[in-house]
Coordinates of all heavy atoms in Angstrom, one line a residue:
M1 N 60.6 38.7 141.8 CA 59.5 39.6 142.0 C 58.8 39.8 140.6 O 59.4 39.8 139.6 CB 60.2 41.0 142.3 CG 59.2 42.1 142.5 SD 60.0 43.7 143.0 CE 60.7 43.3 144.5
Y2 N 57.5 39.8 140.8 CA 56.6 39.9 139.6 C 55.8 41.1 139.6 O 55.4 41.6 140.7 CB 55.6 38.6 139.7 CG 56.3 37.3 139.5 CD1 56.8 36.6 140.6 CD2 56.4 36.8 138.2 CE1 57.4 35.4 140.5 CE2 57.0 35.5 138.1 CZ 57.6 34.9 139.2 OH 58.2 33.7 139.1
Y3 N 55.5 41.7 138.4 CA 54.6 42.8 138.2 C 53.3 42.2 137.7 O 53.2 41.4 136.8 CB 55.2 43.8 137.2 CG 54.4 45.0 137.1 CD1 54.0 45.8 138.2 CD2 53.9 45.4 135.8 CE1 53.3 47.0 138.0 CE2 53.2 46.6 135.7 CZ 52.8 47.4 136.7 OH 52.1 48.5 136.6
V4 N 52.2 42.5 138.4 CA 50.9 41.9 138.1 C 49.9 43.0 137.7 O 49.7 44.0 138.4 CB 50.3 41.2 139.4 CG1 49.0 40.5 139.1 CG2 51.4 40.2 139.9
I5 N 49.1 42.7 136.6 CA 48.0 43.5 136.2 C 46.8 42.7 136.5 O 46.7 41.6 136.1 CB 48.1 43.8 134.7 CG1 49.4 44.4 134.2 CG2 46.9 44.7 134.3 CD1 49.7 45.8 134.8
P6 N 45.8 43.3 137.3 CA 44.7 42.5 137.7 C 43.8 42.1 136.4 O 43.8 42.8 135.5 CB 43.9 43.4 138.6 CG 44.4 44.8 138.3 CD 45.8 44.6 137.8
I7 N 43.2 40.9 136.5 CA 42.4 40.5 135.4 C 41.0 41.2 135.3 O 40.6 41.5 134.2 CB 42.1 38.9 135.6 CG1 41.4 38.4 134.3 CG2 41.4 38.5 136.8 CD1 42.1 38.4 133.0
N8 N 40.4 41.5 136.4 CA 39.1 42.2 136.4 C 39.3 43.7 136.5 O 39.7 44.2 137.6 CB 38.3 41.7 137.6 CG 37.9 40.2 137.4 OD1 37.6 39.8 136.3 ND2 38.0 39.5 138.5
I9 N 39.1 44.4 135.5 CA 39.2 45.9 135.4 C 37.9 46.4 135.0 O 37.4 46.1 133.9 CB 40.3 46.3 134.5 CG1 41.8 45.8 135.0 CG2 40.4 47.8 134.3 CD1 42.9 46.1 134.1
A10 N 37.3 47.2 135.8 CA 36.0 47.8 135.5 C 36.0 48.6 134.2 O 37.0 49.2 133.8 CB 35.6 48.8 136.7
N11 N 34.9 48.4 133.5 CA 34.7 49.0 132.2 C 35.5 48.5 131.0 O 35.5 48.9 129.9 CB 34.8 50.5 132.2 CG 33.8 51.1 133.2 OD1 32.7 50.7 133.3 ND2 34.3 52.1 134.0
L12 N 36.4 47.5 131.2 CA 37.2 46.9 130.2 C 36.6 45.5 129.8 O 36.4 44.6 130.6 CB 38.7 46.6 130.7 CG 39.7 46.1 129.6 CD1 39.9 47.2 128.6 CD2 41.0 45.8 130.3
T13 N 36.2 45.4 128.5 CA 35.5 44.2 128.1 C 36.3 43.0 127.7 O 35.8 41.9 127.6 CB 34.5 44.6 127.0 OG1 35.3 45.0 125.9 CG2 33.5 45.6 127.3
S14 N 37.6 43.3 127.5 CA 38.6 42.2 127.1 C 40.0 42.6 127.5 O 40.3 43.8 127.4 CB 38.5 42.0 125.6 OG 39.5 41.1 125.2
P15 N 40.8 41.6 127.9 CA 42.2 41.9 128.3 C 43.0 42.4 127.0 O 43.9 43.2 127.1 CB 42.7 40.5 128.7 CG 41.6 39.8 129.1 CD 40.4 40.2 128.3
R16 N 42.4 42.1 125.8 CA 43.1 42.6 124.6 C 43.0 44.2 124.5 O 43.7 44.7 123.7 CB 42.5 42.0 123.4 CG 42.8 40.5 123.3 CD 42.3 39.9 122.1 NE 40.8 40.0 122.0 CZ 40.0 39.8 121.1 NH1 40.6 39.3 119.9 NH2 38.7 39.9 121.1
G17 N 42.1 44.7 125.3 CA 41.9 46.2 125.1 C 42.9 47.1 125.9 O 42.8 48.3 125.9
L18 N 43.8 46.5 126.6 CA 44.8 47.2 127.5 C 46.1 46.5 127.5 O 46.2 45.3 127.6 CB 44.2 47.3 128.9 CG 45.2 48.0 129.9 CD1 45.2 49.5 129.6 CD2 44.6 47.8 131.3
R19 N 47.2 47.3 127.4 CA 48.5 46.8 127.5 C 49.3 47.9 128.3 O 49.3 49.0 128.0 CB 49.2 46.6 126.1 CG 50.6 45.9 126.3 CD 51.2 45.7 124.9 NE 51.8 47.0 124.5 CZ 51.5 47.6 123.3 NH1 50.7 47.1 122.5 NH2 52.1 48.7 123.1
V20 N 50.1 47.4 129.3 CA 51.0 48.2 130.0 C 52.4 47.8 129.6 O 52.8 46.7 129.7 CB 50.7 48.1 131.6 CG1 51.7 48.9 132.3 CG2 49.3 48.4 132.0
D21 N 53.2 48.9 129.3 CA 54.7 48.6 129.0 C 55.5 49.4 130.0 O 55.0 50.4 130.5 CB 54.9 49.2 127.6 CG 54.1 48.6 126.5 OD1 54.2 47.4 126.4 OD2 53.4 49.3 125.8
W22 N 56.6 48.9 130.3 CA 57.5 49.6 131.3 C 59.0 49.4 130.9 O 59.4 48.4 130.2 CB 57.3 49.1 132.7 CG 57.6 47.7 132.9 CD1 58.8 47.1 133.3 CD2 56.7 46.6 132.8 NE1 58.7 45.8 133.4 CE2 57.4 45.4 133.1 CE3 55.3 46.5 132.4 CZ2 56.8 44.2 133.0 CZ3 54.8 45.2 132.4 CH2 55.5 44.1 132.7
K23 N 59.7 50.4 131.3 CA 61.2 50.5 131.2 C 61.7 50.7 132.6 O 61.0 51.3 133.4 CB 61.7 51.5 130.2 CG 61.2 51.4 128.8 CD 61.7 52.5 127.9 CE 61.1 52.4 126.6 NZ 61.4 53.6 125.7
T24 N 63.0 50.3 132.9 CA 63.5 50.5 134.1 C 65.0 51.1 134.0 O 65.5 51.1 132.8 CB 63.6 49.2 135.0 OG1 64.6 48.3 134.3 CG2 62.3 48.5 135.1
R25 N 65.5 51.6 135.0 CA 66.8 52.2 135.0 C 67.7 51.4 136.0 O 68.6 52.0 136.6 CB 66.8 53.6 135.5 CG 65.9 54.5 134.6 CD 65.9 55.9 135.0 NE 64.8 56.6 134.5 CZ 63.7 57.1 135.2 NH1 63.8 57.1 136.5 NH2 62.8 57.7 134.6
S26 N 67.5 50.1 136.0 CA 68.3 49.3 137.0 C 68.3 47.9 136.4 O 68.1 47.6 135.3 CB 67.7 49.3 138.4 OG 66.4 48.7 138.3
E27 N 68.7 46.9 137.3 CA 68.8 45.5 137.0 C 67.4 44.8 136.8 O 67.2 43.7 136.4 CB 69.5 44.7 138.0 CG 68.9 44.6 139.4 CD 69.1 45.8 140.3 OE1 69.8 46.7 140.0 OE2 68.7 45.7 141.5
F28 N 66.3 45.6 137.1 CA 65.0 45.1 136.9 C 64.7 45.1 135.4 O 65.2 45.9 134.6 CB 63.9 46.0 137.5 CG 63.8 45.8 139.1 CD1 64.9 46.2 139.9 CD2 62.7 45.2 139.6 CE1 64.8 46.1 141.3 CE2 62.7 45.1 141.0 CZ 63.7 45.5 141.8
A29 N 63.9 44.1 134.9 CA 63.7 43.9 133.5 C 62.6 44.7 133.0 O 61.6 45.0 133.7 CB 63.3 42.4 133.3
A30 N 62.7 45.2 131.8 CA 61.7 46.0 131.1 C 60.6 44.9 130.6 O 61.0 43.8 130.6 CB 62.2 46.8 129.9
G31 N 59.4 45.4 130.3 CA 58.5 44.4 129.8 C 57.2 45.0 129.4 O 57.0 46.2 129.3
S32 N 56.2 44.0 129.2 CA 54.9 44.4 128.8 C 53.9 43.4 129.4 O 54.3 42.2 129.6 CB 54.8 44.4 127.2 OG 53.5 44.6 126.8
A33 N 52.7 43.8 129.7 CA 51.6 42.9 130.3 C 50.2 43.4 129.9 O 50.0 44.6 129.7 CB 51.8 42.9 131.8
R34 N 49.4 42.4 130.0 CA 47.9 42.7 129.8 C 47.2 42.3 131.0 O 47.8 41.6 131.9 CB 47.4 41.9 128.6 CG 48.0 42.4 127.2 CD 47.2 41.8 126.1 NE 47.8 42.3 124.8 CZ 47.5 43.4 124.2 NH1 46.6 44.2 124.7 NH2 48.0 43.7 123.0
P35 N 46.0 42.7 131.2 CA 45.2 42.2 132.3 C 45.3 40.7 132.5 O 45.1 40.0 131.6 CB 43.8 42.7 132.1 CG 44.0 43.9 131.2 CD 45.1 43.6 130.3
G36 N 45.6 40.3 133.8 CA 45.7 38.9 134.1 C 47.1 38.3 134.0 O 47.3 37.2 134.4
D37 N 48.0 39.2 133.5 CA 49.4 38.7 133.4 C 50.2 39.0 134.7 O 49.9 39.9 135.4 CB 50.2 39.5 132.3 CG 49.7 39.0 130.9 OD1 49.0 38.0 130.8 OD2 50.0 39.8 129.9
R38 N 51.2 38.1 134.9 CA 52.0 38.1 136.1 C 53.4 38.0 135.5 O 53.8 36.9 135.1 CB 51.7 37.1 137.1 CG 52.5 37.0 138.3 CD 52.0 35.8 139.1 NE 52.7 35.7 140.4 CZ 53.7 34.8 140.7 NH1 54.0 33.9 139.8 NH2 54.2 34.8 141.9
V39 N 54.2 39.1 135.4 CA 55.5 39.1 134.6 C 56.7 39.2 135.6 O 56.7 40.1 136.4 CB 55.5 40.2 133.6 CG1 56.8 40.3 132.8 CG2 54.3 40.1 132.7
L40 N 57.7 38.4 135.4 CA 58.9 38.4 136.2 C 59.7 39.7 135.8 O 60.0 39.9 134.6 CB 59.7 37.2 135.9 CG 61.0 37.0 136.7 CD1 60.7 36.8 138.2 CD2 61.9 35.9 136.2
V41 N 60.0 40.5 136.8 CA 60.8 41.7 136.6 C 62.1 41.7 137.3 O 63.0 42.5 136.9 CB 60.0 43.0 137.0 CG1 58.8 43.2 136.2 CG2 59.6 43.0 138.5
W42 N 62.3 40.8 138.2 CA 63.5 40.7 138.9 C 63.7 39.3 139.6 O 62.7 38.8 140.2 CB 63.8 41.7 140.0 CG 65.1 41.8 140.6 CD1 66.3 42.2 140.1 CD2 65.4 41.2 141.9 NE1 67.3 42.0 140.9 CE2 66.8 41.4 142.0 CE3 64.7 40.6 142.9 CZ2 67.5 40.9 143.2 CZ3 65.4 40.1 144.0 CH2 66.8 40.3 144.2
S43 N 64.9 38.7 139.6 CA 65.1 37.4 140.2 C 66.5 37.5 140.8 O 67.5 38.0 140.1 CB 65.0 36.3 139.2 OG 65.3 35.1 139.9
G44 N 66.7 37.2 142.0 CA 68.1 37.1 142.6 C 68.0 37.1 144.1 O 66.9 36.8 144.7
V45 N 69.1 37.4 144.7 CA 69.2 37.4 146.1 C 69.2 38.8 146.6 O 70.0 39.7 146.1 CB 70.6 36.7 146.6 CG1 70.8 36.8 148.0 CG2 70.6 35.3 146.1
V46 N 68.4 39.1 147.6 CA 68.3 40.4 148.2 C 69.5 40.6 149.1 O 69.7 39.8 150.1 CB 67.0 40.6 148.9 CG1 67.0 42.0 149.7 CG2 65.8 40.5 148.0
R47 N 70.4 41.5 148.9 CA 71.6 41.7 149.6 C 71.6 42.9 150.6 O 72.5 43.1 151.3 CB 72.8 41.8 148.7 CG 72.9 40.6 147.7 CD 74.3 40.4 147.3 NE 74.3 39.4 146.3 CZ 74.4 38.0 146.6 NH1 74.5 37.7 147.8 NH2 74.5 37.1 145.6
A48 N 70.5 43.7 150.6 CA 70.4 44.8 151.5 C 69.0 44.9 152.1 O 68.1 44.2 151.6 CB 70.7 46.1 150.7
A49 N 68.8 45.7 153.1 CA 67.5 45.9 153.7 C 66.5 46.4 152.8 O 65.3 46.2 153.0 CB 67.7 46.7 155.0
T50 N 66.9 47.2 151.9 CA 65.9 47.8 150.9 C 66.5 47.7 149.5 O 67.7 47.6 149.2 CB 65.7 49.3 151.2 OG1 66.9 50.0 151.1 CG2 65.1 49.5 152.6
M51 N 65.5 47.8 148.5 CA 65.9 47.8 147.1 C 65.0 48.9 146.5 O 63.9 49.1 146.9 CB 65.5 46.5 146.4 CG 66.3 45.3 146.8 SD 65.8 43.8 146.0 CE 66.2 44.2 144.3
E52 N 65.6 49.7 145.6 CA 64.9 50.8 145.0 C 65.1 50.9 143.5 O 66.2 50.6 143.1 CB 65.3 52.1 145.7 CG 64.6 53.3 145.3 CD 65.0 54.5 146.1 OE1 65.2 54.4 147.2 OE2 65.1 55.6 145.4
T53 N 64.1 51.1 142.8 CA 64.2 51.4 141.4 C 63.1 52.2 140.9 O 62.1 52.5 141.7 CB 64.2 50.0 140.6 OG1 64.6 50.3 139.2 CG2 62.9 49.3 140.6
S54 N 63.1 52.6 139.7 CA 62.0 53.4 139.0 C 61.5 52.7 137.8 O 62.3 52.1 137.1 CB 62.5 54.8 138.7 OG 62.9 55.6 139.7
F55 N 60.2 52.7 137.6 CA 59.6 52.2 136.4 C 59.0 53.3 135.6 O 58.2 54.1 136.2 CB 58.5 51.1 136.8 CG 59.0 49.8 137.2 CD1 59.6 49.6 138.4 CD2 58.8 48.7 136.4 CE1 60.1 48.4 138.8 CE2 59.3 47.4 136.8 CZ 59.9 47.3 138.0
D56 N 59.3 53.4 134.3 CA 58.6 54.3 133.4 C 57.5 53.5 132.8 O 57.7 52.7 132.0 CB 59.5 54.9 132.4 CG 60.6 55.7 133.0 OD1 60.3 56.4 134.0 OD2 61.8 55.7 132.5
L57 N 56.2 53.8 133.2 CA 55.1 53.1 132.7 C 54.4 53.8 131.5 O 54.3 55.1 131.6 CB 54.1 52.9 133.8 CG 54.5 52.1 135.0 CD1 53.5 52.1 136.1 CD2 54.8 50.6 134.6
S58 N 53.9 53.1 130.5 CA 53.0 53.6 129.6 C 51.8 52.7 129.4 O 52.0 51.4 129.6 CB 53.7 53.9 128.2 OG 54.1 52.7 127.7
M59 N 50.7 53.2 129.1 CA 49.5 52.4 129.0 C 48.8 52.6 127.6 O 48.6 53.8 127.2 CB 48.5 52.7 130.1 CG 47.3 51.9 130.1 SD 46.2 52.3 131.5 CE 45.7 54.0 131.3
N60 N 48.4 51.5 127.0 CA 47.8 51.6 125.7 C 46.4 51.0 125.8 O 46.4 49.8 126.2 CB 48.6 50.9 124.6 CG 49.9 51.6 124.4 OD1 50.0 52.7 123.9 ND2 51.0 50.8 124.8
A61 N 45.4 51.8 125.6 CA 44.0 51.2 125.7 C 43.3 51.4 124.3 O 43.4 52.5 123.7 CB 43.3 52.0 126.8
E62 N 42.6 50.4 123.9 CA 41.8 50.4 122.7 C 40.4 50.8 123.1 O 39.8 50.1 123.9 CB 41.8 49.1 122.0 CG 43.2 48.8 121.4 CD 43.2 47.5 120.6 OE1 42.2 47.3 119.8 OE2 44.1 46.7 120.7
L63 N 39.9 51.9 122.6 CA 38.6 52.4 123.0 C 37.5 51.5 122.7 O 36.5 51.5 123.4 CB 38.4 53.8 122.3 CG 39.4 54.9 122.8 CD1 39.1 56.2 122.1 CD2 39.3 55.1 124.3
A64 N 37.7 50.7 121.6 CA 36.6 49.7 121.3 C 36.3 48.7 122.5 O 35.2 48.1 122.5 CB 37.0 48.9 120.1
Y65 N 37.2 48.5 123.4 CA 37.0 47.6 124.5 C 36.7 48.3 125.8 O 36.6 47.6 126.8 CB 38.3 46.8 124.7 CG 38.7 45.9 123.6 CD1 39.6 46.2 122.6 CD2 38.0 44.7 123.4 CE1 39.9 45.3 121.5 CE2 38.3 43.8 122.3 CZ 39.3 44.2 121.4 OH 39.5 43.3 120.4
L66 N 36.5 49.6 125.7 CA 36.1 50.4 126.9 C 34.7 50.8 127.0 O 34.1 51.2 126.0 CB 37.0 51.6 127.1 CG 38.5 51.4 127.4 CD1 39.2 52.7 127.4 CD2 38.6 50.7 128.8
R67 N 34.1 50.7 128.2 CA 32.7 51.1 128.3 C 32.6 52.2 129.4 O 31.6 52.2 130.2 CB 31.8 49.9 128.8 CG 31.8 48.8 127.8 CD 31.0 49.2 126.5 NE 31.0 48.1 125.5 CZ 31.7 48.1 124.4 NH1 32.4 49.1 124.1 NH2 31.6 47.1 123.6
G68 N 33.5 53.1 129.5 CA 33.5 54.2 130.5 C 34.9 54.4 130.9 O 35.9 54.0 130.2
G69 N 35.1 55.0 132.0 CA 36.4 55.4 132.5 C 37.2 54.1 132.9 O 36.8 53.0 133.0
L70 N 38.6 54.3 132.9 CA 39.5 53.2 133.2 C 40.3 53.6 134.4 O 40.9 54.6 134.5 CB 40.4 53.0 131.9 CG 41.4 51.9 132.0 CD1 40.8 50.6 132.1 CD2 42.3 52.0 130.8
G71 N 40.4 52.6 135.3 CA 41.2 52.7 136.5 C 41.5 51.4 137.1 O 40.6 50.5 137.1
F72 N 42.7 51.1 137.5 CA 43.1 49.9 138.1 C 44.3 50.1 139.0 O 45.0 51.1 138.8 CB 43.3 48.8 137.1 CG 44.4 49.0 136.2 CD1 45.7 48.5 136.4 CD2 44.3 49.8 135.1 CE1 46.8 48.7 135.6 CE2 45.3 50.0 134.2 CZ 46.6 49.5 134.5
E73 N 44.6 49.1 139.8 CA 45.8 49.1 140.7 C 46.6 47.9 140.3 O 46.2 46.8 140.6 CB 45.5 49.2 142.2 CG 44.8 50.5 142.6 CD 44.6 50.5 144.0 OE1 45.4 49.9 144.8 OE2 43.7 51.2 144.5
S74 N 47.8 48.0 139.7 CA 48.7 47.0 139.5 C 49.5 46.8 140.8 O 49.5 47.7 141.7 CB 49.6 47.3 138.3 OG 50.3 48.5 138.5
Y75 N 50.2 45.7 140.9 CA 51.0 45.4 142.1 C 52.1 44.5 141.9 O 52.3 43.9 140.8 CB 50.1 44.9 143.3 CG 49.3 43.7 142.9 CD1 49.8 42.4 143.2 CD2 48.1 43.8 142.2 CE1 49.1 41.3 142.8 CE2 47.4 42.6 141.9 CZ 47.9 41.4 142.2 OH 47.2 40.3 141.9
F76 N 53.0 44.4 142.9 CA 54.1 43.5 142.8 C 53.9 42.3 143.8 O 53.4 42.5 144.8 CB 55.4 44.2 143.2 CG 55.9 45.3 142.3 CD1 55.5 46.6 142.4 CD2 56.6 44.9 141.1 CE1 55.8 47.6 141.5 CE2 57.0 45.9 140.2 CZ 56.6 47.2 140.4
E77 N 54.4 41.1 143.3 CA 54.4 39.9 144.2 C 55.8 39.5 144.4 O 56.6 39.5 143.4 CB 53.6 38.8 143.6 CG 52.1 39.1 143.6 CD 51.3 37.9 143.0 OE1 51.9 37.0 142.4 OE2 50.1 37.9 143.1
I78 N 56.1 39.0 145.6 CA 57.5 38.6 145.9 C 57.4 37.1 146.4 O 56.6 36.8 147.2 CB 58.2 39.4 147.0 CG1 58.2 40.9 146.5 CG2 59.5 38.9 147.3 CD1 58.7 41.8 147.6
E79 N 58.2 36.2 145.7 CA 58.3 34.9 146.1 C 59.5 34.7 147.0 O 60.6 35.1 146.6 CB 58.3 33.9 145.0 CG 57.0 33.9 144.3 CD 57.0 32.8 143.1 OE1 58.0 32.2 142.9 OE2 55.9 32.7 142.5
V80 N 59.4 34.0 148.1 CA 60.5 33.9 149.1 C 60.8 32.4 149.1 O 59.9 31.5 149.3 CB 60.2 34.4 150.4 CG1 61.3 34.2 151.4 CG2 59.8 35.9 150.4
Q81 N 62.1 32.0 149.1 CA 62.5 30.6 149.1 C 63.3 30.4 150.4 O 64.0 31.2 150.9 CB 63.3 30.2 147.9 CG 62.4 30.3 146.7 CD 63.1 29.7 145.5 OE1 64.0 28.9 145.6 NE2 62.6 30.0 144.3

């Protein structure tokens, strides 16, 4: 399972202007990403009908790279084999 930050974020002039960090309380990996990144947060065999975890997110934005308000939707991607 990957955590993805979209590359195109309105009002952000460079991916260097934003970093998202996260911690988890489970077997999912903590990490960091910038716009355009796709980061592995979990790998393994799904053994139940559902999986649940919590992510504590923090966002660091450099104002020099912003031209207005900031908003985006990150998402998860799952690869099935």
Side-chain angles (χ1 to χ4, degrees):
M1 181 178 297
Y2 295 87
Y3 184 55
V4 181
I5 308 295
I7 186 67
N8 295 318
I9 297 177
N11 300 322
L12 186 65
T13 62
S14 170
R16 293 182 300 173
L18 177 68
R19 189 181 76 239
V20 178
D21 302 301
W22 61 90
K23 298 178 186 176
T24 68
R25 299 182 200 116
S26 67
E27 68 275 5
F28 284 69
S32 179
R34 294 193 180 273
D37 288 348
R38 181 179 184 254
V39 180
L40 183 67
V41 294
W42 184 80
S43 179
V45 176
V46 176
R47 304 204 184 275
T50 63
M51 295 177 66
E52 186 175 320
T53 192
S54 296
F55 281 73
D56 294 325
L57 298 171
S58 64
M59 182 174 65
N60 297 294
E62 292 187 40
L63 296 178
Y65 295 101
L66 289 176
R67 299 291 180 247
L70 179 65
F72 64 95
E73 292 186 29
S74 56
Y75 55 93
F76 292 94
E77 290 183 347
I78 299 173
E79 289 185 1
V80 180
Q81 295 191 20

